[in-house]
Structures are given as C-alpha cells and as structure tokens.
Amino acid sequence: MTTEGEKATAPAAPTAKRAMVGRLSWGLADQAASSMSNFVVGIYVARSLGVAAFGVFSLAWVTYGVVLNVSRGLATDPLVVRFSGVPAASWRAAVARSSGTALGLGAALGAACSVVGLALGGSVGSAFAVLGVVLPALLLQDAWRFAFFAAGSGRKAFVNDLVWGVALVPAMVVAARVGSVAAYLLAWGASAAVAAGYGCLQSGIRPRMPEARGWLREQRDLGYRYLVENVALSGASQLRAYGLGAIVGLGAVGAVRGAELLMGPFLAVLMGLSLVTVPEAARVLRQAPHRLGTFCLLLGGGQAAAALLWGGALLLMPDRLGELALGGVWPSASQLIVPITLGVAGAGLGTGAAAGLRALAAARRSLRCQLFASAGYVGGGLGGAAVAGAVGSAWGVAAATLSSSAVWWLQLRSALRERHHNPTPEVRTS
C-alpha cells in the first residue's frame, strides 16, 4: 500500500531518467556532427596535400588544441561545473561573461600565434599565422557548445555544429583550388565564424569581453587549476608531435595523425567529452549523489568498449578502403591501429572518472591525475619514438594512457569516500 506522497513522487525517477537520456542523446548527436566535421577536414587535407604537408597541418592542429584547452580551463569548464541546471537568469549572466572570456582569449592568443608564424616564415609559419587569425571564431563557437550543454539544450549545440559543417563544404572546395595548408586552415576557421555568429542568434546573448577579468577573478579557484590540467593534456600532445617530428621526421607526425583520424569519432568525443558528461555528472551529484560512481563507470566502460569495437573493425578494413580514405598516408598509419586503439580505449575509461572529479569540483585531485597522465604521454611517446619510430611512439602512448586511467579511478574512489565522510557539496548560481 502506498501513501499519497509516494503516488505523487513515483513518476519522478523515470521522468528524470528520460530527461537524462534525452540530453545524452543530443550530446551524442552533437559529438557525431563535430566528429564528422573534424574527420572530413583531416581526410580531405591528407588526401590533397600528402604526408609531409599533412604533418604541417597536424602541428597547427595540435597547437589549436592547446589554445582551445586554455579557453576551456579559464572560460567554460567553470561554467559547466557551476552553472549547469541553474535558473535561466544566472545562466545567461554567466554565459555572457564566459563567452566574452573565450573571445578575448582567442584574440590575445591568436595575435601571439600570428606573430610567431610571421617570424618563422615558410609553410609552417604561414599556417601558424592563419591559425592566429581564426582562433577567436574557433574559441567562441566552442564556448556556445559548452553554454548550451550547461543549460541542458544539447539540441542547440547540435544545430550549431551542423551549421558549421554545412558552411565548411563550400569553404573546403575553395581551399582545394588554392591547395595549401594555410588555405585549408582559413576555410576551417571561416566556417567556424559562421557557426559562432549563429550561436549569438541562438542564445540571444552577446559576449561581454570587458567582463572577462571579473569572470577570471571569480572562478580562479577552479579556473587556474583547470587551465594547468587542460594545458598539460594538450601541451603533452603538442610536445609529443614536435618531438616525434624532430626524432623521426614530419612523415611520422603525419602517420600518427592519420591513425588518429581513423579513430576520429572517439578521439573527437574524448576531446569534447566535458560538454556532455560533466553537466550530467553534476546533475547526478545534486539529485542522487550515491549514483555518481555507477554513472561514471558506465560512462567510461561504454567509451572503452566502443573504441575497442571500432578498432577491431579498422583491422578488418581492406587496404583498398584505407588508401581511398587516407591516400599515401595509409601504409604508415595502418601499422599504428592496434596501439592507437588501446590508447583510445584507456583514455575513454579514464574520462568516466575525470567527469566525476569535475562534478565534485575536486580540482586538486584531477590536476594531479592530469599531470601524471601528461608526463606519461610525453615520456612514453618520445621514448618509444627513440626506440622504434612512429610504431614505438604509439605503443609508448598506449601504455602510458592505460596506466593513467587507473590513477584517475583511484582518485575518484578517494574523492567519493571523502565526500561521504564530509558531505559539503558546493553550489554556486551567481
């Protein structure tokens, strides 16, 4: 026999689960759109430019990854942790400041990138100069995605990425006629600018760059730790790429990037995972904190299993299809499929624990994990390169990633125990 109160509250759990499934579904759809855009750009450039020029493009790509993670650490990661599922007025005020911070960072770091590019000269220098020009648009577009997921409006993030993908098609056709790395980077950034402008219309919010300093000051307890954590992640990838190029050559950089493209759907999901999982983990923590560990385990385990299945499918792919996709990059990239797959699976497992630590605002613990993971990534990648070239580098990274995944989960277990004994969750909505 149930009481009247029980009758009133019984449907709440199924309703909450359906809402979570809906948000995750839009998250998966958005990541699919983002993954496809990145995959198409990489494949198009690889086939058009060859392995050496693709190595130059890859250096610009990993540099963009560093700058993107600076923006996420300072501007949008704190937004997702502290303003997911809050009242609309608080969300709008926070988004205006966080997007203004992202735009300001893009302008400042983009100017520095262009100056470095002009000083370097050559094909590498021109690529970096153009990257600096398009960075503000790239970072603002990414900021809108974070904002929409924080509000539980994944559909808007999906539409925004879809707009970017549609605008990318004519831009890449024009770039192909020029046939240079700089042209492809400009096409990529110009199409991102279209999506960034559309994000302003979707949200009805204008980024407030003058308030960036206030945002950085208010979020400094999380922001600066997330900055170090994110830059350690992307900086490790950049150091590995630069070191691999110096030890083995630009062809090896292109081979590694080509193999990563084959795993593109999962790598893109991992890069932007906090768009979906951290807001959901934060909601689980607020509504059913005892389920956070299970949520993270299902999340990480699902990612790892999907990566292994995809890698297995790649191993069965005929050389003819591989050459059709990557052209001359395929022969060297195909040798790296097994270690790249294991590395992505390990990273996927670790991201489940990382989402839990972010939701708990356990910035010190997540920073320790990321520093350990980044050091292992660089050490394994460059040590392996010195021993066995690109193949050795890929195996070194796989071993380091699997080891760091264990560290993430040990830290999450400790954080959950600590919260159980001292339950003082932080809630900030202003």
Side-chain angles (χ1 to χ4, degrees):
M1 180 175 182
T2 60
T3 64
E4 182 176 350
E6 290 173 331
K7 291 178 182 178
T9 58
T15 301
K17 289 181 180 179
R18 283 195 297 269
M20 178 185 290
V21 170
R23 289 190 296 268
L24 288 173
S25 298
W26 280 116
L28 291 174
D30 174 72
Q31 289 301 332
S34 177
S35 300
M36 185 58 65
S37 296
N38 291 335
F39 182 74
V40 168
V41 169
I43 292 295
Y44 204 75
V45 175
R47 287 185 55 81
S48 301
L49 299 181
V51 67
F54 189 56
V56 175
F57 180 85
S58 299
L59 291 179
W61 185 279
V62 297
T63 302
Y64 155 69
V66 173
V67 176
L68 179 65
N69 279 298
V70 169
S71 175
R72 288 181 175 180
L74 293 176
T76 50
D77 281 346
L79 174 78
V80 169
V81 171
R82 285 178 166 154
F83 295 90
S84 292
V86 301
S90 297
W91 174 82
R92 291 181 65 85
V95 168
R97 291 183 294 160
S98 66
S99 61
T101 302
L103 187 59
L105 288 168
L109 297 175
C113 188
S114 293
V115 169
V116 171
L118 293 174
L120 287 174
S123 60
V124 175
S126 62
F128 276 76
V130 170
L131 178 64
V133 172
V134 301
L135 275 176
L138 290 166
L139 298 191
L140 181 58
Q141 192 275 339
D142 188 71
W144 291 130
R145 298 173 71 213
F146 271 79
F148 293 141
F149 277 110
S153 302
R155 179 179 61 84
K156 291 185 177 180
F158 169 74
V159 172
N160 192 276
D161 269 324
L162 202 60
V163 168
W164 187 2
V166 171
L168 189 61
V169 175
M172 295 298 285
V173 171
V174 173
R177 295 181 178 178
V178 179
S180 68
V181 174
Y184 283 109
L185 287 171
L186 185 60
W188 177 50
S191 55
V194 174
Y198 183 63
C200 296
L201 296 177
Q202 285 179 293
S203 63
I205 298 172
R206 185 176 63 183
R208 297 179 184 173
M209 287 179 59
E211 297 188 22
R213 182 175 297 179
W215 175 263
L216 293 174
R217 183 175 59 252
E218 292 172 13
Q219 309 300 328
R220 63 182 179 273
D221 58 325
L222 293 183
Y224 292 121
R225 287 193 176 95
Y226 288 158
L227 168 66
V228 176
E229 182 179 331
N230 290 355
V231 170
L233 171 64
S234 54
S237 177
Q238 189 175 30
L239 286 174
R240 186 238 186 155
Y242 289 163
L244 185 60
I247 295 171
V248 187
L250 285 175
V253 179
V256 169
R257 178 60 187 154
E260 290 174 346
L261 276 175
L262 295 174
M263 295 295 297
F266 298 100
L267 288 172
V269 167
L270 292 177
M271 287 177 62
L273 195 61
S274 60
L275 291 172
V276 185
T277 57
V278 175
E280 290 307 318
R283 288 186 177 93
V284 171
L285 181 63
R286 289 189 175 98
Q287 298 169 6
H290 61 285
R291 295 178 180 172
L292 180 60
T294 302
F295 172 82
C296 294
L297 183 60
L298 291 174
L299 174 67
Q303 289 264 28
L308 291 173
L309 288 174
W310 182 265
L314 290 176
L315 289 173
L316 300 176
M317 185 170 67
D319 288 340
R320 178 174 51 85
L321 292 180
E323 291 170 357
L324 181 64
L326 293 180
V329 179
W330 167 253
S332 53
S334 61
Q335 302 176 35
L336 311 180
I337 291 176
V338 172
I340 290 287
T341 297
L342 293 176
V344 173
L349 185 61
T351 52
L357 289 175
R358 284 287 176 97
L360 290 165
R364 291 181 180 177
R365 290 185 180 276
S366 61
L367 177 57
R368 290 189 208 119
C369 293
Q370 191 55 66
L371 291 176
F372 177 86
S374 298
Y377 184 92
V378 174
L382 297 187
V387 173
V391 175
S393 180
W395 277 109
V397 166
T401 305
L402 290 168
S403 299
S404 64
S405 178
V407 174
W408 280 105
W409 279 101
L410 288 172
Q411 287 294 322
L412 177 61
R413 186 178 66 173
S414 298
L416 289 172
R417 286 179 176 177
E418 183 178 281
R419 188 183 186 279
H420 177 73
H421 294 298
N422 185 27
T424 55
E426 175 187 357
V427 178
R428 182 182 298 188
T429 59
S430 61

